[in-house]
Amino acid sequence: MTVDAAARTEAVTAIVRRVLEAPQAGPEEDFFELGGDSLLATRVLSAIAREFGVELTFDDFLMAPTGAALAERVAALGAGVRERTVLQVPMAEAPAERSEVGA
Amino acid sequence: MTRAVVVGAGLAGLTAATALARHGVEVTVLEARDRVGGRTRGIEVAPDAWADAGAAYLGDRHTELHLLLSELGIKTTPTTMHGASRFDLGQDARTEAGRFPPLAAVALGDLFDRLAELTARIDPVAPWRTPGAEQLDRQTAAEWAAEQLSHPDARTFFPLFLGEMMAADPAAVSVLHMAFYLRSGGGLRYLNAFEGGAQQDRVAGGAHQVCERLAAGLGDRVRTGEPVRTVHQEATGATVVTERAAYPADAVVLALPPLLAEALSYQPPLPAPRAGRHTTPGCAIKVHLVYPAPLWRRHGLSGWSVSATGPLLSTVDDSPADAGPGVLTGFVTGAEAHRFAALTPEQRRAAAEAHAARLFPELPPPTDCLVTDWVNDPYSHGCYAALLGPGDWLAHGPQLAAAHQRLFFAGTETSTEFFGLMEGAIRSGHRAAAQLLATC
Ligand SMILES: Cc1cc2nc3c(=O)[nH]c(=O)nc-3n(C[C@H](O)[C@H](O)[C@H](O)COP(=O)(O)OP(=O)(O)OC[C@H]3O[C@@H](n4cnc5c(N)ncnc54)[C@H](O)[C@@H]3O)c2cc1C
C-alpha cells in the first residue's frame, strides 16, 4: 500500500468511526455489522464527498461497506474527477448525534 | 378522599386515571366521544382482523408502553418489511431492492447531517432554553430547507421525510419544533427505522385495545358521550361542566391535545395560553387498502412505497400477523392531507385506488378502501400531534405541562419525551397523576 492509499484508508475509516460512534472500528470491519444502517451510510457518503470531492452512490456503498473498500472506491473514482454538484453550500463538520445513534 | 375529574379517555387520560385510582383517588373520566382511545382506533377490516386507523407502531425505547402492554396482557408483532420497495419520485414507478430511495445518497446524507446537527443542539428537557432558541423558533422548516438544501433530491426528500416523521408540512413548523421532535423521539435514525427503531413493532390486534382494557379496569368511572365545555376553578374546588352535567372535583386533569384544551372555557381564564396563532393540527389521513391476502409478497414486494406526489405519499404492509386479509396502509400527510381532506368520500377512494394501481400494477383492485380523516375530526383536530409553528415554543412551551392551581395537563404534547407518540401520552399521564398526588 502506498503512503497515499494508507492515508486515504485511515481517513475514510475515521469517517466511519465518527458516524457510527465506534472509535474501535477497523478498516476491514463491515459497516452494517457494526450497527450501521442506510441513513448512517448516507452520512458516511456525504462526509466522503466533503473530504475527497468524490460522490459515491448508495450502490457503491453496498458493494464496499468497509473503510478500506470505500477508500479504494474513492481512489478509483479519483478525487476531483467528478463534479461536486451536491455540496455547494459549505458546511461545518457536523457532530454526530450523541446518545441517539448506535445505541 | 380526593375527587378528581380526568377530561379525555385517550392514552394520557386513562393512564392518569388508572394511576390516580390506584392511589385511592375517586376519579371520573369524561370523554366526549362514544368510544375511548382518542388517537388510537381500531377498524375491523375483516371478521376479527383489525387495522390501526390511528397510532400503530412502537419500538423498544417505548418502555412505558411496553410495560403497560405486558400488564394488560397484550402482545406485539413485528412490522414486516421483507422484499423490494416501490418508488414514484418523478419518473415512472421504480422497484428497488431495499428501502433506500433512488435519490442521490450524498444529497440525503448532507440533509441528515444538517438535521442531526440541529437535533444535537436541542435542550431535550426545556426546548425553549436551547442555545439560539430564538432564531430556531423564528424560522419555518420550509424556510430552513430553502436556505440549506441545494440539491433537488434533498428538496424532494425533505417534505416526504417530515410528513412521514411528524405529519407536518415544512411550512407549518418552526425549525425548533422540527429539531425538538426528532430529538424527543430518539433522534433521526431511531424515528426513521423500522427494525431497531420506532416502527419495529405493532400492537397485535390493534393499539386501540390498550385504552379499551384500561377503561374496562376503570369500569363505570369512565363516562363516554360527555363533551366538556367549561372548567370552573374556585377556592374550595373545581367544577367540570359537560353538555349534560356538572362534575365537582378537587382537581382536574385535562388530557386533551392543546388546541382542543384551548377551546374550552375557563372560569377564571387561564393565566397564559398553551397554544397560539401558529399552532396547527398535525395533518395525517390513513387509507387502508384491503386485499384478500398480502398479495404483494407473492411478487417479492414489501408493500413499502414512497411517492413524491399524493395522495399516498407512503404505503406500508400492515396486514394482521396471522393468515387473513392483506392490508396496505397509505399515509396522506402534510399539505397533501389538506387537499385530500377536501375531496368527497367517493373522490378520495377513487384517488387512493388509482394511486395504488399506479404503484402496484400487479395487484388486483382492493376489496375495500377505508379512509380515516383525522384532520376534520372535531375531537382530535389533527394528528399525529399538534404542530408548533414559529414563536410557539418560546411563547407556550413552558406552559404546556405547567399545573395551574387545581388544573393539571396531560397529553402527548405535554411530554418532552416521545412527544407526539403513544409513549409520550403515557409518560404524560404518569407525570400529571404524580403532580396531582403531590398536592393531596
Ligand atoms: C394516523 C395516526 C398515526 C399515528 N401513528 C403513531 C404511531 O405509529 N406510533 C405512536 O406512538 N403514535 C402515533 N400516533 C400518535 C398517537 O396516537 C398519540 O400520540 C396518542 O394516542 C395521543 O394520546 P393522548 O391521550 O395524548 O391524546 P388523545 O388520544 O387525542 O386523547 C384525547 C381524548 O380527549 C377526548 N376529548 C377531546 N375533546 C374533549 C372534550 N371537550 N371533552 C371530553 N373529551 C374530549 C378525545 O375524544 C380523546 O379521546 C398516531 C396518530 C394518528 C392519528
Side-chain angles (χ1 to χ4, degrees), chain B residues 3-66:
Chain B
R3 271 182 315 180
V5 166
V6 174
V7 182
L11 280 168
L14 292 173
T15 305
T18 303
L20 293 172
R22 270 186 202 157
H23 284 84
V25 174
E26 189 187 320
V27 61
T28 304
V29 182
L30 301 175
E31 167 56 49
R33 290 174 164 121
D34 57 7
R35 64 168 181 91
V36 300
R39 282 173 270 178
T40 62
R41 195 186 135 206
I43 43 175
E44 205 171 10
V45 291
D48 222 22
W50 295 80
D52 287 300
Y57 311 109
L58 66 149
D60 285 348
R61 294 195 202 170
H62 301 163
T63 50
E64 295 300 318
L65 176 55
H66 271 292

Side-chain angles (χ1 to χ4, degrees), chain B residues 161-183:
Chain B
F161 182 74
L162 223 55
E164 213 175 293
M165 290 299 114
M166 55 194 293
D169 176 352
V173 291
S174 66
V175 179
L176 183 58
H177 186 57
M178 169 178 73
F180 159 74
Y181 189 94
L182 297 174
R183 176 69 184 251

Side-chain angles (χ1 to χ4, degrees), chain A residues 3-64:
Chain A
V3 175
D4 262 12
R8 195 159 38 235
T9 298
E10 179 46 36
V12 174
T13 306
I15 291 173
V16 169
R17 290 193 194 110
R18 196 168 68 230
V19 170
L20 285 178
E21 296 193 6
Q24 312 298 332
E28 306 294 340
E29 282 186 90
D30 185 285
F31 177 83
F32 296 103
E33 278 165 25
L34 288 166
D37 65 3
S38 59
L39 191 151
L40 293 183
T42 67
R43 300 190 60 194
V44 170
L45 295 177
S46 67
I48 288 176
R50 273 197 302 277
E51 282 187 33
F52 297 95
V54 175
E55 290 180 12
L56 301 182
T57 65
F58 190 66
D59 284 342
D60 288 330
F61 193 98
L62 291 181
M63 285 184 283

Side-chain angles (χ1 to χ4, degrees), chain B residues 7-13 30-33 37-40 53-57 62 226-229 255-257 260 264 284 286 331 374 379-380 383-384 411-413 420-423 425:
Chain B
V7 182
L11 280 168
L30 301 175
E31 167 56 49
R33 290 174 164 121
R39 282 173 270 178
T40 62
Y57 311 109
H62 301 163
E226 288 272 22
V228 169
R229 296 290 175 237
L256 309 174
L260 292 178
L264 304 184
K286 261 193 183 179
F331 286 85
W374 296 93
Y379 292 118
S380 286
C383 72
Y384 319 135
T412 192
E413 287 91 349
L421 299 180
M422 295 187 274
E423 179 71 10

Side-chain angles (χ1 to χ4, degrees), chain B residues 285-320:
Chain B
I285 295 174
K286 261 193 183 179
V287 178
H288 289 102
L289 300 161
V290 186
Y291 297 86
L295 304 173
W296 48 92
R297 294 182 195 164
R298 294 178 196 167
H299 300 275
L301 295 168
S302 66
W304 174 256
S305 74
V306 177
S307 297
T309 50
L312 311 180
L313 295 179
S314 61
T315 61
V316 59
D317 182 344
D318 271 340
S319 308

